[in-house]
């Protein structure tokens, strides 16, 4: 039934099945780029890194631009301790680029189906991400997912890059604002930093990988004891998860 959602076939790792982990959770905290979509599929991160380097030149920082000229991950530039003084300007440009990327993003196969099933089961869905919240909000609206996630977007702060994952700040903000118990949350993420942030926040983590190589990175690089390859195992688990009492949460819940 769910093989169409598996790019690498059904696969899980860890002692606990996705169904067990989902049944324990009342709130799912999603990373954005990866589990929900491929944000930079048509607006490459490498091009954005070049744009940020051009901005450094405009700001009178050509040496730093040269230092980062080979960067392929623009978030690494944002995190640079040497660039704290210009972080607000870099962050604003990054947000603009992410908004553009979100308009062209490639949906993760099966993610919308999984989100819909978990919403119907009474779980609260939220986004916890290093990306700009405006980009996430635009994507949710464009792909008719806003009713599932509502306003529950906990994205990158604009004041200091040190709050970005692997710091647990976005997860901490989510549990505080939603009034959720940490042990009844489940973060779904696709990176080592996601796993580290969840571990630091004391929140169970379920790794999502779109292929075997990314699965290996998660298993070897961070505390990611449980995970799946492809959305198929998650959809199968969601079809069997026990519904929570009461109607599904509304957008503002």
């Amino acid at each position: 039934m769910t093989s169409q959602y598996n790019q690498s076939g059904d696969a899980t790792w860890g002692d606990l099945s996705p169904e067990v982990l989902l049944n324990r959770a009342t709130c799912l905290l999603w990373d954005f780029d990866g589990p929900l979509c491929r944000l930079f599929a048509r607006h490459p991160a490498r091009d954005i890194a070049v744009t940020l380097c051009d901005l450094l030149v405009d700001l009178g920082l050509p040496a730093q631009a040269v230092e980062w000229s080979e960067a392929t991950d623009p978030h690494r530039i944002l995190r640079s301790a040497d660039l704290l003084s210009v972080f607000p300007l870099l962050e604003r440009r990054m947000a603009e680029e992410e908004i553009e990327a979100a308009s062209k993003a490639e949906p993760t196969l099966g993610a919308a189906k999984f989100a819909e099933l978990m919403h119907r089961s009474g779980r609260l869905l939220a986004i916890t991400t290093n990306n700009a919240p405006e980009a996430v909000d635009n994507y949710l609206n464009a792909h008719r997912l806003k009713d599932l996630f509502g306003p529950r977007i906990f994205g990158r702060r604009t004041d200091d890059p040190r709050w970005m994952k692997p710091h647990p700040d976005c997860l901490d903000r989510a549990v505080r604002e939603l009034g959720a118990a940490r042990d009844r949350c489940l973060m779904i993420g696709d990176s080592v930093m996601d796993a580290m942030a969840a571990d630091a926040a004391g929140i169970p983590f379920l790794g999502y990988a779109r292929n075997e190589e990314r699965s290996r990175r998660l298993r070897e690089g961070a505390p990611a004891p449980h995970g799946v390859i492809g959305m198929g195992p998650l959809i199968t688990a969601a079809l069997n998860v026990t519904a929570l009492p009461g109607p599904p949460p509304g957008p503002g819940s």
Side-chain angles (χ1 to χ4, degrees):
M1 178 183 295
T2 57
S3 60
Q4 62 178 309
Y5 300 113
N6 298 307
Q7 297 178 15
S8 302
D10 279 352
T12 64
W13 71 84
D15 296 332
L16 298 179
S17 70
E19 187 173 333
V20 168
L21 292 167
L22 293 175
N23 264 315
R24 290 180 177 178
T26 59
C27 181
L28 300 187
L29 305 177
W30 293 57
D31 183 39
F32 176 57
D33 181 19
L36 199 59
C37 70
R38 293 180 64 191
L39 178 59
F40 302 115
R42 300 184 182 93
H43 191 57
R46 167 61 183 154
D47 292 351
I48 298 174
V50 170
T51 297
L52 293 186
C53 286
D54 289 343
L55 177 59
L56 289 175
V57 173
D58 293 342
L59 293 172
L61 299 171
Q64 286 87 340
V66 171
E67 179 183 347
W68 289 103
S69 61
E70 299 301 318
T72 58
D73 178 2
H75 282 174
R76 288 189 60 205
I77 300 176
L78 287 186
R79 287 195 189 88
S80 173
D82 294 334
L83 298 174
L84 284 175
S85 63
V86 294
F87 172 74
L89 295 172
L90 289 172
E91 194 283 329
R92 188 63 249 164
R93 180 64 60 83
M94 183 72 202
E96 292 169 357
E97 296 293 334
E98 287 174 335
I99 290 168
E100 175 68 17
S103 71
K104 307 172 184 177
E106 181 179 295
T108 296
L109 193 63
K113 177 67 173 178
F114 172 56
E116 180 183 2
L117 288 169
M118 293 309 297
H119 173 75
R120 287 181 185 175
S121 77
R123 270 71 183 179
L124 200 64
L125 308 184
I127 303 288
T128 48
T129 179
N130 277 345
N131 299 120
E134 304 97 318
V136 178
D137 191 63
N138 286 1
Y139 180 88
L140 295 179
N141 279 311
H143 292 267
R144 300 182 180 180
L145 298 172
K146 189 68 174 178
D147 285 346
L148 304 183
F149 289 91
R152 298 178 293 276
I153 301 170
F154 303 90
R156 184 176 65 243
R157 288 168 50 157
T158 61
D159 55 341
D160 194 322
R162 289 169 289 191
W163 295 110
M164 294 168 67
K165 289 181 284 189
H167 194 286
D169 172 69
C170 64
L171 296 166
D172 289 337
R173 281 186 282 132
V175 295
R176 283 198 305 268
E177 187 164 324
L178 301 177
R182 291 174 189 265
D183 62 352
R184 298 302 301 279
C185 292
L186 179 65
M187 184 184 184
I188 300 173
D190 74 331
S191 73
V192 169
M193 285 189 295
D194 291 332
M196 293 173 67
D199 188 59
I203 291 173
F205 181 76
L206 178 63
Y208 165 79
R210 59 187 174 90
N211 55 41
E212 292 281 358
E213 172 59 24
R214 290 177 179 270
S215 168
R216 184 190 62 78
R217 290 183 203 171
L218 272 175
R219 284 179 287 177
E220 295 179 358
H226 310 102
V228 299
I229 300 176
M231 278 287 158
L234 294 180
I235 292 173
T236 297
L239 288 168
N240 296 302
V241 77
T242 301
L244 297 177
S253 299

